[in-house]
């Protein structure tokens, strides 16, 4: 089993989740996050002063998937989240220590 974490732009999050509906996923968590990657922070002007907005809104989709389906999940996320602009998506695939039901 692997943990797949995808950090996507907010306007594609629902599309990514819809693309994953037919893939067997053991568990899923979705949360709003803020961050930046290669696009770094950007400077905005508010009134007479400049201020830095260092973090951009993103959505984190956290999935737990059997090893056999990881490649399919990553391909679907990549195909759905890609817009061709910087900051489209970051995907992390991590090993899990196993499941411990409570």
């Amino acid at each position: 089993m692997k943990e797949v974490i995808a950090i996507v732009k907010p306007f594609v999050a629902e599309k990514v989740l819809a693309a994953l509906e037919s893939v067997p996923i053991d568990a899923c968590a979705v949360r709003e996050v803020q961050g930046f990657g290669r696009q770094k922070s950007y400077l905005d002007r508010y009134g007479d002063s400049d201020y830095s907005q260092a973090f951009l809104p993103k959505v984190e989709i956290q999935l737990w998937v059997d090893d056999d389906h990881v490649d399919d999940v990553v391909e679907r996320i990549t195909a759905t989240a890609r817009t061709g602009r910087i900051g489209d998506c970051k995907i992390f695939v991590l090993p899990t220590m196993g499941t411990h039901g409570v």
Side-chain angles (χ1 to χ4, degrees):
M1 179 163 293
K2 299 281 191 270
E3 179 181 2
V4 179
I5 301 171
I7 312 234
V8 300
K9 292 182 176 181
F11 67 90
V12 298
E14 291 293 329
K15 294 176 188 175
V16 169
L17 292 169
L20 295 170
E21 284 180 355
S22 62
V23 180
I25 294 171
D26 288 349
C28 175
V30 178
R31 61 184 137 270
E32 294 179 7
V33 296
Q34 293 184 346
F36 67 87
R38 286 192 321 229
Q39 83 270 15
K40 303 295 183 203
S41 61
Y42 56 93
L43 197 65
D44 241 350
R45 185 148 184 91
Y46 181 75
D48 292 331
S49 64
D50 290 332
Y51 66 97
S52 175
Q53 294 178 325
F55 298 105
L56 300 174
K58 304 285 183 175
V59 173
E60 178 182 325
I61 302 170
Q62 189 174 15
L63 309 162
W64 289 268
V65 182
D66 285 332
D67 291 347
D68 297 341
H69 301 290
V70 170
D71 290 339
D72 190 23
V73 165
V74 170
E75 287 173 16
R76 288 173 187 242
I77 293 169
T78 302
T80 307
R82 179 174 285 150
T83 66
R85 300 186 65 201
I86 195 166
D88 277 348
C89 182
K90 300 288 186 250
I91 301 173
F92 305 93
V93 178
L94 308 169
T96 60
M97 299 300 286
T99 57
H100 301 286
V102 180

